[in-house]
PDB file of all heavy atoms in Angstrom:
ATOM      1  N   LEU A 126      35.912 -15.478  -6.231  1.00 90.00           N
ATOM      2  CA  LEU A 126      36.776 -16.433  -5.503  1.00 90.00           C
ATOM      3  C   LEU A 126      37.449 -15.759  -4.459  1.00 90.00           C
ATOM      4  O   LEU A 126      37.757 -14.508  -4.550  1.00 90.00           O
ATOM      5  CB  LEU A 126      37.700 -17.194  -6.484  1.00 90.00           C
ATOM      6  CG  LEU A 126      37.054 -18.110  -7.494  1.00 90.00           C
ATOM      7  CD1 LEU A 126      38.160 -18.614  -8.493  1.00 90.00           C
ATOM      8  CD2 LEU A 126      36.435 -19.290  -6.815  1.00 90.00           C
ATOM      9  N   PRO A 127      37.863 -16.386  -3.283  1.00 85.00           N
ATOM     10  CA  PRO A 127      38.587 -15.802  -2.209  1.00 85.00           C
ATOM     11  C   PRO A 127      39.856 -15.071  -2.697  1.00 85.00           C
ATOM     12  O   PRO A 127      40.266 -14.032  -2.126  1.00 85.00           O
ATOM     13  CB  PRO A 127      38.860 -16.893  -1.262  1.00 85.00           C
ATOM     14  CG  PRO A 127      37.847 -17.945  -1.539  1.00 85.00           C
ATOM     15  CD  PRO A 127      37.638 -17.879  -2.996  1.00 85.00           C
ATOM     16  N   VAL A 128      40.498 -15.636  -3.700  1.00 88.00           N
ATOM     17  CA  VAL A 128      41.845 -15.105  -4.117  1.00 88.00           C
ATOM     18  C   VAL A 128      41.690 -14.000  -5.168  1.00 88.00           C
ATOM     19  O   VAL A 128      42.701 -13.362  -5.511  1.00 88.00           O
ATOM     20  CB  VAL A 128      42.789 -16.196  -4.693  1.00 88.00           C
ATOM     21  CG1 VAL A 128      43.010 -17.220  -3.554  1.00 88.00           C
ATOM     22  CG2 VAL A 128      42.108 -16.911  -5.943  1.00 88.00           C
ATOM     23  N   LEU A 129      40.445 -13.790  -5.694  1.00 86.00           N
ATOM     24  CA  LEU A 129      40.262 -12.756  -6.622  1.00 86.00           C
ATOM     25  C   LEU A 129      39.864 -11.422  -6.083  1.00 86.00           C
ATOM     26  O   LEU A 129      39.202 -11.406  -4.953  1.00 86.00           O
ATOM     27  CB  LEU A 129      39.247 -13.202  -7.657  1.00 86.00           C
ATOM     28  CG  LEU A 129      39.629 -14.425  -8.522  1.00 86.00           C
ATOM     29  CD1 LEU A 129      38.479 -14.865  -9.470  1.00 86.00           C
ATOM     30  CD2 LEU A 129      40.895 -14.181  -9.294  1.00 86.00           C
ATOM     31  N   GLY A 130      40.034 -10.377  -6.743  1.00 90.00           N
ATOM     32  CA  GLY A 130      39.573  -9.031  -6.279  1.00 90.00           C
ATOM     33  C   GLY A 130      38.059  -8.898  -6.622  1.00 90.00           C
ATOM     34  O   GLY A 130      37.426  -9.679  -7.283  1.00 90.00           O
ATOM     35  N   GLU A 131      37.570  -7.806  -6.107  1.00 93.00           N
ATOM     36  CA  GLU A 131      36.130  -7.441  -6.403  1.00 93.00           C
ATOM     37  C   GLU A 131      35.907  -6.869  -7.743  1.00 93.00           C
ATOM     38  O   GLU A 131      36.812  -6.208  -8.229  1.00 93.00           O
ATOM     39  CB  GLU A 131      35.668  -6.519  -5.289  1.00 93.00           C
ATOM     40  CG  GLU A 131      35.419  -7.144  -3.954  1.00 93.00           C
ATOM     41  CD  GLU A 131      34.723  -6.136  -3.043  1.00 93.00           C
ATOM     42  OE1 GLU A 131      34.870  -4.936  -3.170  1.00 93.00           O
ATOM     43  OE2 GLU A 131      33.998  -6.603  -2.086  1.00 93.00           O
ATOM     44  N   PHE A 132      34.836  -7.025  -8.252  1.00 94.00           N
ATOM     45  CA  PHE A 132      34.427  -6.287  -9.487  1.00 94.00           C
ATOM     46  C   PHE A 132      32.958  -5.801  -9.292  1.00 94.00           C
ATOM     47  O   PHE A 132      32.192  -6.313  -8.489  1.00 94.00           O
ATOM     48  CB  PHE A 132      34.493  -7.162 -10.694  1.00 94.00           C
ATOM     49  CG  PHE A 132      33.462  -8.259 -10.805  1.00 94.00           C
ATOM     50  CD1 PHE A 132      32.326  -8.045 -11.638  1.00 94.00           C
ATOM     51  CD2 PHE A 132      33.615  -9.541 -10.204  1.00 94.00           C
ATOM     52  CE1 PHE A 132      31.361  -9.012 -11.662  1.00 94.00           C
ATOM     53  CE2 PHE A 132      32.709 -10.440 -10.234  1.00 94.00           C
ATOM     54  CZ  PHE A 132      31.534 -10.222 -11.018  1.00 94.00           C
ATOM     55  N   GLU A 133      32.652  -4.780 -10.009  1.00 96.00           N
ATOM     56  CA  GLU A 133      31.304  -4.338 -10.006  1.00 96.00           C
ATOM     57  C   GLU A 133      30.375  -4.879 -11.092  1.00 96.00           C
ATOM     58  O   GLU A 133      30.810  -4.989 -12.199  1.00 96.00           O
ATOM     59  CB  GLU A 133      31.270  -2.801 -10.129  1.00 96.00           C
ATOM     60  CG  GLU A 133      31.809  -1.911  -9.033  1.00 96.00           C
ATOM     61  CD  GLU A 133      31.573  -0.414  -9.112  1.00 96.00           C
ATOM     62  OE1 GLU A 133      30.362  -0.046  -8.771  1.00 96.00           O
ATOM     63  OE2 GLU A 133      32.325   0.181  -9.682  1.00 96.00           O
ATOM     64  N   SER A 134      29.170  -5.270 -10.600  1.00 97.00           N
ATOM     65  CA  SER A 134      28.199  -5.676 -11.564  1.00 97.00           C
ATOM     66  C   SER A 134      26.964  -4.824 -11.494  1.00 97.00           C
ATOM     67  O   SER A 134      26.621  -4.436 -10.358  1.00 97.00           O
ATOM     68  CB  SER A 134      27.883  -7.144 -11.203  1.00 97.00           C
ATOM     69  OG  SER A 134      26.988  -7.659 -12.266  1.00 97.00           O
ATOM     70  N   TRP A 135      26.306  -4.602 -12.631  1.00 97.00           N
ATOM     71  CA  TRP A 135      25.181  -3.765 -12.708  1.00 97.00           C
ATOM     72  C   TRP A 135      23.932  -4.528 -13.253  1.00 97.00           C
ATOM     73  O   TRP A 135      24.057  -5.387 -14.068  1.00 97.00           O
ATOM     74  CB  TRP A 135      25.321  -2.580 -13.723  1.00 97.00           C
ATOM     75  CG  TRP A 135      26.328  -1.549 -13.142  1.00 97.00           C
ATOM     76  CD1 TRP A 135      27.688  -1.587 -13.336  1.00 97.00           C
ATOM     77  CD2 TRP A 135      26.007  -0.322 -12.394  1.00 97.00           C
ATOM     78  NE1 TRP A 135      28.288  -0.535 -12.811  1.00 97.00           N
ATOM     79  CE2 TRP A 135      27.241   0.299 -12.172  1.00 97.00           C
ATOM     80  CE3 TRP A 135      24.827   0.271 -11.974  1.00 97.00           C
ATOM     81  CZ2 TRP A 135      27.273   1.477 -11.443  1.00 97.00           C
ATOM     82  CZ3 TRP A 135      24.848   1.407 -11.267  1.00 97.00           C
ATOM     83  CH2 TRP A 135      26.155   2.012 -10.958  1.00 97.00           C
ATOM     84  N   GLY A 136      22.724  -4.137 -12.715  1.00 97.00           N
ATOM     85  CA  GLY A 136      21.482  -4.689 -13.247  1.00 97.00           C
ATOM     86  C   GLY A 136      21.144  -3.887 -14.456  1.00 97.00           C
ATOM     87  O   GLY A 136      21.798  -3.005 -14.916  1.00 97.00           O
ATOM     88  N   GLN A 137      20.111  -4.397 -15.103  1.00 96.00           N
ATOM     89  CA  GLN A 137      19.694  -3.883 -16.449  1.00 96.00           C
ATOM     90  C   GLN A 137      18.911  -2.600 -16.391  1.00 96.00           C
ATOM     91  O   GLN A 137      18.711  -1.912 -17.339  1.00 96.00           O
ATOM     92  CB  GLN A 137      18.897  -4.967 -17.240  1.00 96.00           C
ATOM     93  CG  GLN A 137      17.352  -5.086 -16.757  1.00 96.00           C
ATOM     94  CD  GLN A 137      17.122  -5.833 -15.489  1.00 96.00           C
ATOM     95  OE1 GLN A 137      18.094  -6.262 -14.805  1.00 96.00           O
ATOM     96  NE2 GLN A 137      15.851  -6.220 -15.195  1.00 96.00           N
TER      97      GLN A 137
END
Side-chain angles (χ1 to χ4, degrees):
L126 291 172
V128 297
L129 296 178
E131 287 187 331
F132 71 97
E133 284 192 86
S134 185
W135 290 89
Q137 79 280 9

